[in-house]
């Protein structure tokens, strides 16, 4: 009995173990099946995941498209705004450039005034105010022409001298010119020889002479040119004298010296010149009334007139305006067609600034036309007047007449040798 119970107990335990094993096996098998066929779990579907992904992608695309369109519109708006700002900036730059130009101009004028005045001053009482007329002299620059600088140290007196240009065409007049300079006792004069013959001639006569270094273009005019060609050349050559710091009394050779001109100069202007005028009005200026009847009440127009300065005899100081004058005249005379040097000289001295043109700011003085006399005054007026013929001019310039040499000799006979009939054979004008 006891043995049967023991056997039955063992059989039940065995069956129980077998069932457990089978249950474990079935569980493992189902787990594998579910793992294979339902990797995302039994209650999760793949379709919604895909849908969400696609929807998300579409939303991103739509969002990007909207953002891109908005960005383009924004860029267009910014471009238009930038263009408008650029236009405004250009306008402002133009205005600023103009203001800067005007400021520079005012600064330049202010600097010139400081140089002239030294310091700012208050205006004095009525009738006592006098503006300064004398420009400051430039700083001498001997590097411009060392050889000429050495000559001028020996020849010039108080840094001023008479200078004449001459070639072989005017040899006889040149001799009358320097003979009378020596007779008067003027030590500070110099001949600029434009060819070798004149250089040797001056050396033989013990006349201070300066032979320029060869300069193609200029020398061809110097050797073969007539009076007008040589007269135009002088503006180019004079520049070196001024740069070296010397005042020059420029003289043509058709001039007779009767007194020392340096005793009669004012030296208060950039340019001090003799005039082609023949009386007070023409020499010093006058109010000329122009009549136009068709204008009725306004038929009379007042104009200011003055006869030209003579470019064959003038005193020029070494100042910036003086050098600018020489540069302007030389530049215009080098152009084609050629101009008359005296006309250009006066235009640059007198024409004011106007739209498109900046006039020369140079001080000028007209010489006494009875002391620095032209040949029109002498032959048309002075020789016929008992009182005026007793005056002794400083110089006489035979500029109005082509028969220069015989008239120069007659002037010497009349004023130096006392021959009162020496001027009578000549007509008032040219025959």
């Amino acid at each position: 009995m006891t043995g049967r119970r023991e056997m039955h107990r063992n059989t039940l335990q065995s069956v129980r173990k077998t069932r457990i094993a089978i249950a474990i096996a079935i569980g493992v098998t189902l787990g594998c099946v579910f793992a294979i066929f339902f990797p995302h779990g039994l209650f999760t579907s793949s379709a919604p995941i895909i849908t969400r992904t696609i929807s998300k992608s579409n939303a991103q695309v739509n969002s990007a498209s909207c953002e891109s369109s908005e960005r383009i519109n924004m860029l267009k708006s910014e471009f238009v705004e930038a263009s408008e700002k650029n236009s405004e900036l250009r306008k402002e730059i133009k205005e600023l450039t103009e203001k800067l130009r005007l400021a520079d101009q005012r600064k330049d004028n202010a600097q010139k005034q400081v140089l002239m005045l030294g310091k700012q001053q208050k205006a004095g009482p009525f009738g006592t105010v006098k503006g300064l007329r004398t420009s400051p002299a430039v700083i001498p620059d001997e590097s411009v022409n060392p050889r000429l600088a050495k000559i001028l140290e020996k020849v010039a007196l108080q840094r001023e001298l008479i200078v004449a240009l001459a070639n072989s065409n005017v040899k006889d007049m040149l001799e009358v010119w320097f003979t009378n300079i020596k007779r008067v006792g003027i030590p500070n004069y110099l001949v600029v020889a434009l060819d070798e013959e004149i250089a040797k001639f001056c050396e033989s006569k013990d006349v201070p002479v300066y032979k320029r270094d060869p300069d193609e273009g200029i020398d061809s005019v110097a050797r073969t040119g007539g009076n007008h060609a040589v007269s135009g050349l002088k503006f180019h050559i004079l520049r070196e004298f001024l740069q070296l710091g010397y005042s020059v009394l420029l003289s043509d050779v058709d001039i007779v010296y009767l007194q020392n001109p340096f005793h009669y100069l004012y030296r208060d202007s950039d340019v001090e010149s003799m005039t082609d005028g023949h009386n007070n009005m023409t020499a010093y200026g006058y109010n000329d009334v122009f009549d136009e009847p068709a204008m009725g009440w306004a038929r009379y127009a007042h104009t200011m007139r003055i006869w030209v300065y003579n470019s064959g005899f003038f005193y020029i100081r070494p100042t910036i305006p003086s050098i600018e004058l020489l540069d302007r005249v030389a530049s215009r005379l080098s152009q084609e067609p050629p101009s008359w040097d005296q006309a250009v000289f006066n235009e640059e001295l007198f024409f004011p600034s106007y739209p498109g043109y900046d006039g020369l700011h140079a001080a000028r003085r007209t010489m006494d036309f009875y002391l620095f006399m032209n040949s029109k005054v002498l032959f048309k007026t002075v020789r016929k007047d008992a009182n005026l013929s007793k005056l002794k001019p400083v110089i006489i310039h035979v500029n109005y007449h082509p028969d220069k040499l015989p008239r120069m000799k007659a002037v010497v006979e009349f004023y130096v040798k006392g021959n009162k009939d020496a001027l009578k054979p000549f007509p008032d004008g040219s025959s």
Side-chain angles (χ1 to χ4, degrees), residues 89-244:
L89 284 172
R90 285 181 180 175
K91 198 176 293 183
E92 289 178 5
I93 289 172
K94 188 176 181 180
E95 291 175 358
L96 287 172
T97 302
E98 180 64 17
K99 288 180 180 178
L100 183 62
R101 186 187 69 80
L102 292 174
D104 287 341
Q105 189 177 33
R106 285 193 291 267
K107 180 182 177 183
D108 183 53
N109 290 336
Q111 288 176 341
K112 289 179 180 177
Q113 289 176 2
V114 169
L115 287 174
M116 293 288 292
L117 300 175
K119 61 179 181 179
Q120 289 182 316
Q121 299 179 357
K122 291 183 179 180
F126 179 81
T128 65
V129 177
K130 295 289 184 182
L132 296 178
R133 293 165 178 80
T134 306
S135 299
V138 299
I139 299 173
D141 182 8
E142 293 188 1
S143 65
V144 171
N145 191 331
R147 186 166 67 88
L148 177 59
K150 291 181 180 179
I151 294 174
L152 295 180
E153 285 179 4
K154 298 177 181 178
V155 174
L157 185 63
Q158 296 181 346
R159 300 194 73 82
E160 58 184 11
L161 73 162
I162 299 171
V163 174
L165 278 67
N167 61 17
S168 299
N169 294 334
V170 295
K171 183 178 178 180
D172 293 336
M173 284 192 293
L174 177 65
E175 186 168 12
V176 176
W177 180 84
F178 64 67
T179 298
N180 283 277
I181 284 179
K182 289 182 176 182
R183 181 186 54 77
V184 173
I186 303 170
N188 48 332
Y189 70 100
L190 180 69
V191 175
V192 177
L194 301 178
D195 56 39
E196 195 62 37
E197 182 180 348
I198 287 296
K200 291 180 179 179
F201 176 67
C202 289
E203 290 171 356
S204 67
K205 298 293 184 178
D206 196 26
V207 171
V209 63
Y210 163 63
K211 177 68 170 63
R212 299 177 56 256
D213 293 330
D215 188 341
E216 292 183 5
I218 292 179
D219 285 340
S220 61
V221 175
R223 289 190 299 271
T224 62
N227 287 341
H228 286 307
V230 173
S231 187
L233 180 63
K234 66 194 173 192
F235 295 97
H236 180 87
I237 296 175
L238 274 181
R239 192 184 205 277
E240 292 184 349
F241 286 81
L242 268 59
Q243 282 183 280
L244 292 171

Side-chain angles (χ1 to χ4, degrees), residues 296-307:
W297 176 82
R299 64 182 290 179
Y300 299 111
H302 290 256
T303 70
M304 301 307 299
R305 298 189 63 185
I306 184 172
W307 284 34

